[in-house]
Amino acid sequence: MTQTYTDATLLRPALYVVATPIGNLGDMSQRAIDTLKSVDLIAAEDTRHSGRLMQHFAIATRLVSYHEHSSSAREDAILRALGEGKAVALISDAGTPLISDPGYGLVVRVRAGSYPVLPVPGASAITAAISAAGLPSDCFSFEGFPPHKSSGRRQLYESLASAQRTLVFYESPHRISESLADMAAAFGGDRQAVICRELTKTWETIHGDSLAGLCDWLQQDDNNRRGEFVVLVHGAAKVEQLALSPETERTLKILMRDLPLKQAAALAAEITGNKKNALYKRGLELAASPP
């Protein structure tokens, strides 16, 4: 479905996806305030949390809860409101909805119902972090929250080890130390990275170092492990294209049958004398191509 609109004409009914501050209330845009005051209903991730924000900006619009555990009945109610000609806003606890926050299912259903979905942009921890980290920003990918278990995290990180783009992750204070240790194991302790902690808040910290250095830094002070984290990891260095001999490629293929790719590439490098990174990259290509 294609939707068009102009700033001069706000379409009603519509779902307005409204960004709210990630910490500093001064980042609340006037357009966001005006929108939240004007809509008929606000679907909030946590009505108690958002209630304080509404009180601060004197927004009296009715709040209803909408979070990741909401039933389809809540989405049905929002769609009914749109069908009755009402305007609805969607907000999360902080930042831009749908960015590791609830809302995807609702937006899909609203668009499928041929109602407009209009963004009211604003604060986002991703863009705040990438703008200040000092890592390449021309090509980056947001990987969200890594898996809770170390085995899942390592599998994810190993799959991204050869990616040449800047990688952006969210992480919680409960797992930041273990997650950084897993990154160092998968990407190499000398890979450059940046931790952004408590962005826009009183104790905002942006600290860059090697992954090994960041692991040490986290242990130097308990405060370094508190708050909400964005972790940015420099992309892998570009590996020169290496023409592998048929025998080297055959060795790699045989090892890949019984070993994880990382181990297969390391062992193939030891056997053949080729660079491990080049063999790992070729292994990724072989794994992605049909037999």
Side-chain angles (χ1 to χ4, degrees):
M1 181 184 74
T2 300
Q3 62 183 48
T4 59
Y5 70 99
T6 65
D7 289 337
T9 305
L10 293 179
L11 301 182
R12 293 175 57 99
L15 177 69
Y16 297 88
V17 182
V18 181
T20 56
I22 58 176
N24 192 319
L25 294 179
D27 293 335
M28 185 77 162
S29 74
Q30 187 60 51
R31 183 184 172 206
I33 295 170
D34 292 342
T35 299
L36 294 177
K37 285 183 176 181
S38 300
V39 295
D40 301 288
L41 185 68
I42 299 172
E45 183 178 1
D46 184 329
T47 55
R48 291 171 298 179
H49 177 91
S50 295
R52 295 190 288 272
L53 183 71
M54 301 302 109
Q55 184 177 17
H56 180 84
F57 290 105
I59 298 168
T61 308
R62 184 166 71 94
L63 291 172
V64 297
S65 64
Y66 179 79
H67 47 77
E68 61 181 334
H69 302 298
S70 292
S71 66
S72 59
R74 180 48 54 97
E75 293 181 357
D76 293 341
I78 293 171
L79 285 165
R80 282 197 302 272
L82 293 170
E84 293 167 1
K86 295 178 179 178
V88 181
L90 173 67
I91 61 174
S92 61
D93 286 349
T96 302
L98 279 74
I99 309 300
S100 282
D101 279 330
Y104 170 72
L106 177 61
V107 167
V108 169
R109 289 193 62 188
V110 171
R111 287 180 59 85
S114 298
Y115 299 110
V117 179
L118 306 180
V120 181
S124 169
I126 301 170
T127 53
I130 198 73
S131 70
L135 295 181
S137 57
D138 56 332
C139 182
F140 66 91
S141 63
F142 175 55
E143 304 296 333
F145 281 95
H148 292 184
K149 294 184 177 179
S150 181
S151 58
R153 284 197 303 268
R154 288 205 175 200
Q155 184 177 11
L156 171 65
Y157 296 156
E158 287 172 4
S159 73
L160 296 169
S162 64
Q164 294 174 10
R165 61 191 180 275
T166 297
L167 304 171
V168 185
F169 302 91
Y170 283 170
E171 193 51 280
S172 72
H174 311 294
R175 289 184 292 274
I176 186 64
S177 294
E178 292 80 2
S179 192
L180 261 290
D182 288 338
M183 287 184 188
F187 300 138
D190 59 346
R191 182 82 70 92
Q192 291 297 300
V194 176
I195 285 178
C196 298
R197 184 180 74 88
E198 292 290 87
L199 285 170
T200 80
K201 301 172 188 172
T202 302
W203 305 110
E204 176 181 82
T205 303
I206 300 175
H207 184 72
D209 201 341
S210 65
L211 282 169
L214 289 177
C215 289
D216 292 338
W217 177 78
L218 284 172
Q219 304 310 315
Q220 291 171 9
D221 188 333
D222 289 346
N223 289 321
N224 292 344
R225 302 189 297 277
R226 293 175 178 164
E228 299 300 322
F229 292 86
V230 183
V231 181
L232 305 96
V233 181
H234 198 294
K238 188 174 182 178
V239 179
E240 293 183 10
Q241 194 67 27
L242 179 66
L244 300 179
S245 69
E247 186 60 30
T248 295
E249 189 154 316
R250 179 174 177 274
T251 300
L252 178 61
K253 287 180 179 178
I254 292 172
L255 293 171
M256 285 175 61
R257 292 175 190 167
D258 300 308
L259 295 173
L261 176 55
K262 189 175 181 180
Q263 290 179 259
L267 186 55
E270 187 176 343
I271 294 170
T272 66
N274 288 286
K275 291 183 178 180
K276 181 173 67 175
N277 285 347
L279 289 163
Y280 185 86
K281 184 177 180 181
R282 179 55 181 153
L284 289 174
E285 294 172 350
L286 290 170
S289 60

